[in-house]
Amino acid sequence: MEELNNVEVQSPEVGQIVKGVVTKVEEKQVIIEIENCKFTGIIPISELSSLHVEKASDIVGENDQLDLKVIKVEEESLILSKRAVDADLAWESLEDKFESKEVFNAEIKDVVKGGLVVDLGVRGFIPASLVETYFVEDFSEYKGKTLSLIVVEIDKEKNRVILSHRAVVEKEQVEKKQELLDSIQAGDVLEGTVQRLTNFGAFVDIGGIDGLVHISQLSHTHVDKPSDVVEEGQKVSVKVLSVDRDNERISLSIKETLPGPFEAMKEKVKAGDVIEGEVKRLVSFGAFVEIFPGVEGLVHISQISHKHIGTPHEVLEEGQTVKVKVLDINSEEQRISLSIRELEESPNASEEDYIRFQSQDEPSGFQLGEMIGDQLNKLK
């Protein structure tokens, strides 16, 4: 009894912070036993949290020890607030976080029109535009999810706390982008995803930064438009051609990661084969014929016809489809020798000799009869 008499019985005042233990949780209120106090404490459900609460048991349970603020003194009870104590602590913490741009995690408690709500001791709001770096149509799946956030706006007088997850993501992207720029080198082969197509090429995400694959670097063959070769979202291998760290520009190539057309051609074409091709270019010394996508071989002027011709234009034209025989494939120099003449019927010997004689640029010093002898007499 002497010990009990020495315990001072408090008569709390409005605004005072008291300690209490939960003795009963009802649907719309919580009953509290306050230390050294003859009054019963009551926490209305509206004073449990800064957010809407359906059931008091969602916030506290029996025997929980709480710090509470007295908001009203009645005859035999005190009306207490857990929300007010949490808010006082929260504002100080949030102001520190705002000044330092600290990143912290919080659980999404509710999805409302225009954004998301978190409980930080005070109500924190994440506008829809500050949730992600991309457009989100439906936020319902975010409830209960934990997001990394920073405070972007705070006003205690207006009870306003604006948060952003997007800013955290953007900061991480910038850091990752810089790290990637510092680490990649020309010659690296990386995996990427085609992000968007333009008329001059394709932008490929290589892990936080986009690089450009110019249209000329999409394929070994001619490309009219990038969409003929790649599509948005496609996974591709790319080779780094150059890195401009000052301007954050990266040049990439898909073509450089693919087998060259000559290598692919070698697996399907060999010397002696007869194949069709398209005359691509005519030059003074012969014709270049495409016999495989991106691979051209030379038909020397001497291999165009058995008859003497002054220029290839006399018997061929660009775009013409011709049959050619593969004479030789030089893998080291990536050169292919072709012949059209080999596929034509050969004239008789006397005509060949006569043609060969006629095609000489300089007089040989021999008479016609001396060169072809009896063969010429037979012609006569």
Side-chain angles (χ1 to χ4, degrees):
M1 288 295 296
E2 183 180 353
E3 185 177 345
L4 290 172
N5 290 332
N6 289 332
V7 175
E8 182 181 351
V9 178
Q10 298 179 354
S11 297
E13 299 178 351
V14 172
Q16 185 176 339
I17 304 298
V18 297
K19 293 183 180 296
V21 178
V22 177
T23 59
K24 187 177 183 180
V25 180
E26 299 179 353
E27 185 177 354
K28 297 299 180 182
Q29 66 181 15
V30 177
I31 308 303
I32 300 292
E33 180 182 330
I34 304 168
E35 288 184 4
N36 306 324
C37 182
K38 63 182 179 180
F39 291 97
T40 298
I42 299 173
I43 310 174
I45 193 169
S46 61
E47 292 298 326
L48 283 171
S49 172
S50 62
L51 304 183
H52 174 71
V53 178
E54 292 288 343
K55 297 183 300 181
S57 58
D58 291 338
I59 304 299
V60 296
E62 289 187 9
N63 299 318
D64 284 354
Q65 295 184 348
L66 305 174
D67 288 329
L68 305 162
K69 178 179 280 191
V70 179
I71 58 175
K72 188 177 181 181
V73 179
E74 297 183 343
E75 288 186 5
E76 296 182 357
S77 62
L78 299 177
I79 306 303
L80 307 170
S81 175
K82 176 180 181 297
R83 177 170 66 92
V85 174
D86 292 343
D88 288 342
L89 295 173
W91 282 115
E92 183 178 349
S93 174
L94 288 170
E95 286 170 353
D96 290 341
K97 286 179 169 62
F98 176 69
E99 292 296 331
S100 64
K101 302 298 181 185
E102 178 186 340
V103 177
F104 59 94
N105 296 327
E107 181 184 342
I108 305 303
K109 294 294 186 181
D110 202 4
V111 177
V112 298
K113 184 178 180 180
L116 308 174
V117 176
V118 298
D119 183 7
L120 302 172
V122 294
R123 182 180 187 271
F125 182 60
I126 312 169
S129 62
L130 298 182
V131 176
E132 301 289 0
T133 56
Y134 51 87
F135 174 73
V136 178
E137 186 172 354
D138 182 10
F139 286 100
S140 60
E141 294 184 359
Y142 280 77
K143 188 171 182 178
K145 186 177 180 180
T146 299
L147 295 181
S148 52
L149 305 164
I150 63 168
V151 181
V152 294
E153 185 180 337
I154 188 169
D155 190 330
K156 186 176 181 179
E157 291 183 3
K158 295 181 179 180
N159 199 36
R160 179 181 174 88
V161 179
I162 304 299
L163 308 167
S164 175
H165 174 63
R166 176 177 178 169
V168 176
V169 175
E170 289 177 337
K171 181 183 177 183
E172 290 173 349
Q173 288 176 340
V174 168
E175 292 173 350
K176 190 174 182 180
K177 181 177 179 180
Q178 188 58 53
E179 183 180 339
L180 186 60
L181 273 172
D182 292 340
S183 65
I184 62 173
Q185 301 291 334
D188 289 349
V189 176
L190 309 169
E191 296 299 313
T193 304
V194 178
Q195 290 296 306
R196 58 191 176 94
L197 303 178
T198 68
N199 58 358
F200 55 83
F203 285 94
V204 176
D205 178 5
I206 52 174
I209 187 171
D210 286 353
L212 173 63
V213 181
H214 190 267
I215 191 170
S216 64
Q217 292 296 325
L218 287 171
S219 174
H220 287 287
T221 58
H222 174 73
V223 177
D224 289 322
K225 55 183 185 297
S227 58
D228 291 339
V229 182
V230 292
E231 59 184 18
E232 292 182 1
Q234 181 179 344
K235 303 293 184 182
V236 292
S237 291
V238 291
K239 183 176 182 179
V240 179
L241 299 181
S242 64
V243 182
D244 182 347
R245 292 182 173 82
D246 293 335
N247 296 304
E248 298 185 355
R249 292 178 180 174
I250 302 173
S251 296
L252 305 171
S253 174
I254 292 176
K255 180 176 74 174
E256 291 291 321
T257 67
L258 302 174
F262 192 91
E263 295 303 314
M265 180 276 305
K266 282 200 307 178
E267 297 178 2
K268 298 183 179 182
V269 180
K270 61 183 183 300
D273 286 353
V274 176
I275 52 180
E276 279 195 346
E278 180 183 344
V279 177
K280 288 295 187 180
R281 292 176 293 139
L282 296 176
V283 293
S284 60
F285 53 85
F288 286 95
V289 177
E290 185 179 55
I291 60 169
F292 194 84
V295 180
E296 295 178 2
L298 173 65
V299 182
H300 190 268
I301 191 170
S302 64
Q303 291 294 330
I304 291 177
S305 174
H306 286 287
K307 297 179 181 179
H308 171 71
I309 55 174
T311 67
H313 295 81
E314 294 178 21
V315 291
L316 298 174
E317 59 182 24
E318 292 180 357
Q320 179 181 347
T321 298
V322 294
K323 281 190 175 182
V324 293
K325 182 177 181 180
V326 180
L327 300 180
D328 180 60
I329 298 176
N330 187 328
S331 298
E332 193 172 318
E333 297 183 5
Q334 294 196 355
R335 292 182 180 178
I336 304 170
S337 298
L338 305 173
S339 175
I340 296 174
R341 189 183 74 175
E342 289 278 322
L343 303 178
E344 293 180 345
E345 187 177 347
S346 175
N348 61 49
S350 59
E351 289 176 324
E352 279 194 354
D353 290 338
Y354 185 75
I355 291 166
R356 202 171 289 119
F357 172 77
Q358 291 276 35
S359 64
Q360 290 182 358
D361 294 332
E362 298 292 337
S364 64
F366 294 97
Q367 298 295 319
L368 180 59
E370 294 173 335
M371 282 199 68
I372 58 176
D374 294 337
Q375 296 298 326
L376 185 58
N377 291 330
K378 290 180 182 178
L379 279 173
K380 294 177 180 181

